[in-house]
Amino acid sequence: MAIRLNHSVIPVSVKLGAPARVSARSSLPFSVGDWRGVSTFSGARPLVSTKVKLRAESTEEDRVPIEDSSIDDHDSTDQLVDEEIVHFEERDFSGTARVPVYVMLPLGVIDMNSEVVEPEELLDQLRTLKSVNVDGVMVDCWWGIVEAHTPQVYNWSGYKKLFQMIRELGLKIQVVMSFHECGGNVGDDVHIQIPEWVREVGQSNPDIYFTDRAGRRNTECLTWGIDKQRVLRGRTALEVYFDYMRSFRVEFDEFFEDKIIPEIEVGLGPCGELRYPSYPAQFGWKYPGIGEFQCYDKYLMKSLKEAAEVRGHSFWGRGPDNTETYNSTPHGTGFFRDGGDYDSYYGRFFLNWYSRVLIDHGDRVLAMANLAFEGTCIAAKLSGIHWWYKTASHAAELTAGFYNSSNRDGYGPIAAMFKKHDAALNFTCVELRTLDQHEDFPEALADPEGLVWQVLNAAWDASIPVASENALPCYDREGYNKILENAKPLTDPDGRHLSCFTYLRLNPTLMESQNFKEFERFVKRMHGEAVPDLGLAPGTEETNSE
């Protein structure tokens, strides 16, 4: 094919000869001096001027004349070319700080009988990851598998076999203490409930679960209202979490001693994230709904009423009644609209309490984690609630527990809590682009880039390590370049960068030839190594450099 160059930006489609999978966002519109693989925010350098030729042979129908002001009209009218000079902006990361790259293993890598699923196939995939110098893998240790039937009876056998496989290949392991249910969320391909004995408690006392205003119980994880309540067969939720973590530390002592496990990520809520389960798909939520507050179990309601009495306004001991439903928009509610009740005296009181419950839960569980793991680095995950970020109330963040309205910093206090426990912050959605969100869901008023910038700076200002992961599957160069930009910000005067990056997730699509080549290229750049095709579009080959 040929590329038509005009004086202004002209998007064109590109036919890739190689069988690369590209996301719907990544149609690669090109223009002179611009490529959507890198935004201006990255301060991309250098401008690579490369003569390229597509592997797929062009046909007469593919060829178009090149138009340029430097060529007179007569010469350019019928001029056909087989090769064109195309300018791409792609930053050179060679020589930059090395950011370790981990890969999440499949959610169901251990089955309900605590056995490794398809170990030979997994071993082949792990060898392939090792061949491109991936630093390690991330493994979820599911509470619902290990302590499935009886309190304080733990079955770690499948995980021991898995960890031994990983260690023999020379890979490290990030371990997640997963105290939540798997299934029902984006990307979940297996169903792992919380332990059977906990669900039996929930049958007689459903208030152990988060509850919405309509009284619907969310069994994905336990409400933070029972952190200190002895309702789990004589133990508090904090004691249950601590006992589980301490059991793991004792059982896998040799892996800690050999530094095979450099970090433990502690699950703090749904999807293992520090947030309320405010946007559950099981209750009909769809993007970009604002979600609903999840504080209507009897334990959290008691806490709210006590806080209202201390404040001197006992009638504030209730949840707001004008927030509408999961799929409402901020301007369709009395609470979240511009000038709405979220910024009233009552609204500020309620949101302060709601967000404080979140921070206090993280504070308590991370304290237990530090006791259980005796000096091993710990981390926790924060979700990227980027929709409605461009509104005054930031409604979706508020229902999730992040009091981050336009006149308040909701992430500084969370970062300070992490700092108290020397915990790393793992943040999602670093691959998302605001422009893409605006094109796909303009009504959502989303700004993932603005959110990432705010959270990274809040964490770095608190002097805590920041790790990250992608929120959605990523196989294309556009997404990888965005991750790189956030991992190693060019304009940061202190040279700060991510402590590590975890790729979501090992699957057959990633292992396809062209996709894995892109991933290998990404790993090299995260490690600060040079790549030979800098500035070339995927599926092209260099014939000459000028």
Side-chain angles (χ1 to χ4, degrees), residues 22 88 264 487:
V22 182
F88 304 113
I264 299 289

Side-chain angles (χ1 to χ4, degrees), residues 25-281:
R25 301 194 307 268
S26 182
S27 56
L28 299 178
F30 293 105
S31 64
V32 178
D34 181 51
W35 180 32
R36 274 183 53 197
V38 175
S39 72
T40 55
F41 168 77
S42 70
R45 61 169 178 80
L47 178 62
V48 181
S49 176
T50 314
K51 184 174 290 187
V52 299
K53 180 170 63 180
L54 289 179
R55 291 194 182 102
E57 291 298 322
S58 61
T59 65
E60 290 299 322
E61 289 78 7
D62 288 329
R63 299 177 180 176
V64 294
I66 289 185
E67 298 177 3
D68 191 274
S69 58
S70 63
I71 303 174
D72 66 41
D73 292 339
H74 177 74
D75 292 335
S76 64
T77 302
D78 296 309
Q79 183 177 5
L80 300 177
V81 296
D82 289 317
E83 297 180 354
E84 297 78 27
I85 296 176
V86 182
H87 298 266
F88 304 113
E89 287 187 65
E90 196 175 26
R91 183 176 154 199
D92 183 1
F93 286 94
S94 61
T96 59
R98 188 182 194 278
V99 175
V101 177
Y102 288 75
V103 175
M104 296 184 201
L105 294 192
L107 292 168
V109 68
I110 302 293
D111 64 21
M112 292 302 298
N113 296 317
S114 197
E115 294 291 340
V116 180
V117 175
E118 299 180 355
E120 293 302 321
E121 179 181 349
L122 176 63
L123 191 58
D124 287 342
Q125 292 175 331
L126 291 173
R127 288 194 185 106
T128 303
L129 292 178
K130 179 63 177 177
S131 72
V132 297
N133 294 317
V134 163
D135 295 270
V137 295
M138 176 178 274
V139 179
D140 285 277
C141 286
W142 294 102
W143 183 32
I145 293 177
V146 175
E147 196 181 0
H149 305 294
T150 307
Q152 295 180 280
V153 175
Y154 308 102
N155 182 359
W156 298 106
S157 60
Y159 288 104
K160 283 191 172 181
K161 294 174 185 176
L162 174 63
F163 285 18
Q164 186 61 36
M165 289 169 53
I166 297 168
R167 176 166 65 177
E168 289 174 356
L169 290 174
L171 294 167
K172 294 189 180 297
I173 311 170
Q174 290 178 325
V175 180
V176 184
M177 300 285 99
S178 296
F179 297 112
H180 61 283
E181 177 184 82
C182 177
N185 292 297
V186 175
D188 288 355
D189 53 5
V190 295
H191 189 207
I192 303 170
Q193 295 177 286
I194 60 176
E196 180 184 9
W197 65 269
V198 176
R199 285 181 277 127
E200 290 173 356
V201 172
Q203 289 175 2
S204 58
N205 181 11
D207 283 286
I208 67 171
Y209 301 122
F210 283 107
T211 307
D212 66 14
R213 189 174 49 163
R216 287 171 289 197
R217 314 288 188 173
N218 190 323
T219 59
E220 188 175 352
C221 61
L222 301 180
T223 173
W224 304 330
I226 63 168
D227 277 358
K228 296 182 177 181
Q229 301 295 323
R230 295 191 177 280
V231 295
L232 300 175
R233 302 277 178 90
R235 290 186 293 166
T236 68
L238 280 178
E239 290 169 341
V240 168
Y241 302 147
F242 175 81
D243 291 343
Y244 182 87
M245 291 187 288
R246 190 61 190 164
S247 171
F248 177 86
R249 177 62 183 82
V250 171
E251 289 288 333
F252 292 88
D253 179 68
E254 61 182 297
F255 293 88
F256 286 93
E257 293 301 317
D258 295 341
K259 308 299 183 184
I260 303 300
I261 300 176
E263 181 181 274
I264 299 289
E265 183 176 296
V266 185
L268 296 176
C271 298
E273 299 168 340
L274 180 60
R275 65 171 175 86
Y276 289 87
S278 56
Y279 48 97

Side-chain angles (χ1 to χ4, degrees), residues 293 304 311 315-316 318-323 334-336 340-355 398 403 405 407-408:
F293 292 116
L304 175 59
R311 181 70 170 78
F315 56 93
W316 282 358
R318 54 173 177 79
D321 57 8
N322 57 348
T323 56
F335 192 81
F336 299 113
D341 290 344
Y342 81 91
D343 205 26
S344 65
Y345 288 110
Y346 159 74
R348 292 196 294 273
F349 159 78
F350 173 79
L351 293 171
N352 264 307
W353 168 82
Y354 191 73
S355 61
L398 296 186
Y403 191 0
S405 55
N407 58 354
R408 193 179 187 279

Side-chain angles (χ1 to χ4, degrees), residues 221-531:
C221 61
L222 301 180
T223 173
W224 304 330
I226 63 168
D227 277 358
K228 296 182 177 181
Q229 301 295 323
R230 295 191 177 280
V231 295
L232 300 175
R233 302 277 178 90
R235 290 186 293 166
T236 68
L238 280 178
E239 290 169 341
V240 168
Y241 302 147
F242 175 81
D243 291 343
Y244 182 87
M245 291 187 288
R246 190 61 190 164
S247 171
F248 177 86
R249 177 62 183 82
V250 171
E251 289 288 333
F252 292 88
D253 179 68
E254 61 182 297
F255 293 88
F256 286 93
E257 293 301 317
D258 295 341
K259 308 299 183 184
I260 303 300
I261 300 176
E263 181 181 274
I264 299 289
E265 183 176 296
V266 185
L268 296 176
C271 298
E273 299 168 340
L274 180 60
R275 65 171 175 86
Y276 289 87
S278 56
Y279 48 97
Q282 61 181 303
F283 296 156
W285 175 85
K286 289 182 173 31
Y287 182 84
I290 58 175
E292 291 190 22
F293 292 116
Q294 305 289 316
C295 57
Y296 294 90
D297 64 83
K298 67 181 182 183
Y299 302 103
L300 288 183
M301 287 307 295
K302 180 183 178 183
S303 170
L304 175 59
K305 289 174 182 175
E306 290 174 350
E309 289 171 0
V310 170
R311 181 70 170 78
H313 302 289
S314 58
F315 56 93
W316 282 358
R318 54 173 177 79
D321 57 8
N322 57 348
T323 56
E324 303 306 325
T325 64
Y326 285 107
N327 292 314
S328 296
T329 60
H331 47 272
T333 74
F335 192 81
F336 299 113
R337 64 177 174 80
D338 289 356
D341 290 344
Y342 81 91
D343 205 26
S344 65
Y345 288 110
Y346 159 74
R348 292 196 294 273
F349 159 78
F350 173 79
L351 293 171
N352 264 307
W353 168 82
Y354 191 73
S355 61
R356 175 49 54 185
V357 169
L358 175 145
I359 293 172
D360 288 347
H361 170 73
D363 185 28
R364 290 188 290 262
V365 177
L366 291 181
M368 293 294 101
N370 269 328
L371 285 175
F373 294 115
E374 301 176 353
T376 300
C377 294
I378 61 171
K381 187 190 300 185
L382 207 61
S383 55
I385 312 294
H386 55 80
W387 53 106
W388 306 114
Y389 189 85
K390 290 184 176 180
T391 62
S393 64
H394 292 228
E397 290 168 88
L398 296 186
T399 58
F402 308 132
Y403 191 0
N404 193 51
S405 55
S406 59
N407 58 354
R408 193 179 187 279
D409 173 20
Y411 299 103
I414 295 174
M417 180 269 289
F418 275 63
K419 175 64 176 177
K420 175 182 174 182
H421 302 287
D422 293 320
L425 188 154
N426 185 7
F427 193 60
T428 63
C429 82
V430 288
E431 85 284 14
L432 301 182
R433 294 177 176 276
T434 297
L435 177 60
D436 295 333
Q437 294 297 311
H438 178 70
E439 291 175 349
D440 297 339
F441 298 95
E443 72 280 7
L445 295 175
D447 187 6
E449 292 181 31
L451 176 62
V452 168
W453 184 246
Q454 180 184 359
V455 173
L456 291 187
N457 279 279
W460 283 332
D461 287 349
S463 299
I464 59 174
V466 185
S468 195
E469 63 187 50
N470 47 311
L472 299 172
C474 177
Y475 308 107
D476 59 89
R477 192 166 300 181
E478 178 185 10
Y480 288 139
N481 278 334
K482 188 61 195 174
I483 293 168
L484 282 155
E485 291 170 21
N486 287 323
K488 308 177 187 185
L490 180 64
T491 56
D492 190 285
D494 301 309
R496 296 176 297 191
H497 54 82
L498 294 183
S499 59
C500 70
F501 175 79
T502 305
Y503 176 85
L504 181 154
R505 157 180 331 269
L506 178 63
N507 62 49
T509 304
L510 173 65
M511 306 307 284
E512 292 177 9
S513 175
Q514 184 61 34
N515 291 343
F516 199 73
K517 287 178 182 176
E518 280 296 316
F519 177 72
E520 179 182 9
R521 182 182 191 271
F522 165 70
V523 172
K524 287 181 178 179
R525 300 177 80 201
M526 289 290 275
H527 286 170
E529 300 172 15
V531 293

